[in-house]
Amino acid sequence: QLVESGGGSVQAGGSLRLSCTFSRSIFQSWCMGWFRQVPGKEREGLATIDTEYSKTYANSVKGRFTISQDIDKNIVYLHMESLNPEDTAMYYCAADFSTAEFYPYPCHQTDFHYWGQGTQVTVSS
């Protein structure tokens, strides 16, 4: 189960931090990702992080967004800075888990099996 929080309305230039709380159950490793979607457009992958803290970013957010995690608390964060109206979207957290000690696949190419309900981010000019 994934639960996002932290969305809201912000003015252009502002920042927000999204959180995704997850349950790891029996799994030892994972790949977590943040995505966003605007109605009528394709879902866009933003960032990924795995249990080894390996991270990837989409070019559209590189340098402005930072993905991080607190393994002890089972939370993944997306810190977003320098927001602009084009960042307005529903933001989703996604995950794939493994019983292996280390996540066995390239995280940014993972087929995510678990999704949160989304949290809305609205950036006004």
Side-chain angles (χ1 to χ4, degrees):
Q1 180 181 8
L2 306 178
V3 179
E4 302 99 333
S5 62
S9 297
V10 64
Q11 289 194 326
S15 62
L16 281 174
R17 188 180 75 167
L18 306 182
S19 300
C20 173
T21 303
F22 62 94
S23 173
R24 70 169 77 181
S25 184
I26 63 171
F27 302 109
Q28 294 193 68
S29 61
W30 56 80
C31 170
M32 305 293 291
W34 282 100
F35 294 77
R36 66 186 178 190
Q37 190 166 23
V38 175
K41 293 189 177 181
E42 288 191 2
R43 185 172 60 205
E44 179 186 12
L46 303 175
T48 65
I49 188 169
D50 65 18
T51 330
E52 300 307 300
Y53 294 88
S54 179
K55 305 175 185 180
T56 65
Y57 294 95
N59 288 334
S60 60
V61 302
K62 197 173 295 184
R64 298 191 301 125
F65 291 9
T66 302
I67 191 169
S68 63
Q69 63 186 351
D70 185 328
I71 289 182
D72 292 335
K73 296 182 179 178
N74 292 349
I75 302 176
V76 174
Y77 301 101
L78 185 69
H79 185 77
M80 307 183 294
E81 297 180 342
S82 301
L83 287 164
N84 57 68
E86 289 69 38
D87 295 314
T88 296
M90 184 71 78
Y91 284 69
Y92 297 91
C93 173
D96 188 48
F97 298 94
S98 173
T99 55
E101 182 178 3
F102 303 103
Y103 189 75
Y105 310 110
C107 189
H108 64 286
Q109 297 176 342
T110 285
D111 184 14
F112 292 94
H113 293 97
Y114 301 91
W115 292 83
Q117 81 289 348
T119 185
Q120 178 68 36
V121 171
T122 302
V123 184
S124 57
S125 57

